[in-house]
Amino acid sequence: MSLILYKKKRDFKDTQEPKGKSNPIVSKLSFVVQRHKASHLHYDFRLEMGGVLKSWAIPKGTSMNPGDKRLAIMVEDHPYDYKDFEGIIPEGNYGAGIVEIWDKGFYSDIQNSEKEVAEKKLLEELKAGNLKFRLSGEKLKGEFALIRMKNRGENTWLLLKHKDEFAIDEEYNSEAKTPKNSPINKLLKEHLSEKLPASKKRSSTETGIAIGTEKKK
Ligand code: MN
């Protein structure tokens, strides 16, 4: 497990994101879903494994409906303490935009083994491209699977909900489940209301950030 790519992409003088120093101490495996309003809105799904957070970017977010297969693009490992990160990644930095924790909690393998056993099993499943686990979050609960798609490169996966007592039949919209009045959301609204036509856009030094814009040179 390595954070080389994570560190390479970021300038820690400029972004408040964790440098990746602390290691897991709790007796359970953690997961987090971060809503990331960058150039494209997506949800970052992260599972603690081997001391880092294995990470997938899910454009549409997770679903509690077993009928929904959600595309999940595997990205670089993130440090363990990234699970607590919320805030603004300044314009010009990798992933510039707003990160808020959408859901978090613990997870395990399907058998609910103790941490060390679960982790070993999960790492094997990850390698095999067929990961099955149980989430205990505020929003996300029950059994899920991450399946690597064949012939679509190493990084293209699908996130599926298994049928269980937590599964739903209705449409599941992650955006509708996002709290409207969280501090980070207020910040987002302020920035959006400040948004002007491109020609009149305030400079990054005035606003600190520009939402929905690509990295500028
Ligand atoms: Mn992201």
Side-chain angles (χ1 to χ4, degrees):
M1 305 290 157
S2 162
L3 295 172
I4 291 170
L5 197 55
Y6 174 86
K7 288 176 182 168
K8 208 170 143 187
K9 287 179 171 184
R10 289 166 177 82
D11 179 356
F12 295 106
K13 287 197 288 293
D14 223 23
T15 177
Q16 298 297 308
E17 293 167 286
K19 293 187 189 79
K21 278 177 185 160
S22 63
N23 287 314
I25 41 163
V26 289
S27 60
K28 290 178 177 175
L29 292 165
S30 294
F31 88 93
V32 66
V33 181
Q34 279 148 326
R35 181 179 183 272
H36 189 177
K37 184 84 176 73
S39 54
H40 298 281
L41 174 70
H42 61 276
Y43 291 77
D44 289 305
F45 184 80
R46 310 191 197 278
L47 299 173
E48 175 196 345
M49 237 181 275
V52 296
L53 302 176
K54 291 287 162 189
S55 300
W56 290 261
I58 305 184
K60 287 181 74 180
T62 53
S63 178
M64 291 295 287
N65 181 334
D68 287 338
K69 294 179 178 64
R70 296 286 165 96
L71 184 69
I73 306 301
M74 198 172 199
V75 298
E76 76 272 19
D77 293 350
H78 278 52
Y80 175 68
D81 42 7
Y82 207 95
K83 69 183 178 54
D84 301 314
F85 177 73
E86 282 194 302
I88 293 175
I89 302 172
E91 190 183 0
N93 289 272
Y94 182 73
I98 287 184
V99 176
E100 66 179 306
I101 294 173
W102 184 84
D103 196 19
K104 67 175 176 181
F106 297 107
Y107 88 104
S108 183
D109 63 325
I110 297 289
Q111 282 75 31
N112 246 324
S113 316
E114 63 179 76
K115 182 171 175 172
E116 273 178 34
V117 179
E119 203 168 25
K120 193 164 171 264
K121 200 181 298 176
L122 290 161
L123 281 164
E124 279 166 16
E125 292 184 4
L126 179 82
K127 217 170 158 189
N130 187 346
L131 195 55
K132 293 186 175 68
F133 50 90
R134 181 180 282 117
L135 300 178
S136 310
E138 294 283 322
K139 297 185 177 76
L140 302 176
K141 294 175 198 294
E143 287 183 25
F144 290 79
L146 267 164
I147 313 289
R148 186 163 49 220
M149 292 177 79
K150 291 196 172 71
N151 309 316
R152 296 281 297 271
E154 275 294 286
N155 297 328
T156 310
W157 297 62
L158 290 173
L159 179 68
L160 315 170
K161 176 83 192 81
H162 281 170
K163 284 184 183 146
D164 60 13
E165 69 268 37
F166 301 109
I168 61 163
D169 295 326
E170 308 84 60
E171 196 186 313
Y172 192 89
N173 178 356
S174 294
E175 281 299 281
K177 309 277 181 193
T178 302
K180 296 287 173 274
N181 294 313
S182 65
I184 201 84
N185 244 287
K186 281 185 196 147
L187 203 60
L188 176 63
K189 272 191 197 137
E190 281 169 26
H191 281 294
L192 287 176
S193 66
E194 281 174 11
K195 228 179 157 188
L196 299 166
S199 58
K200 291 180 182 171
K201 198 170 275 169
R202 293 162 70 187
S203 77
S204 60
T205 47
E206 283 175 281
T207 60
I209 188 175
I211 299 300
T213 54
E214 297 284 354
K215 183 171 177 168
K216 279 187 210 149
K217 281 267 141 64

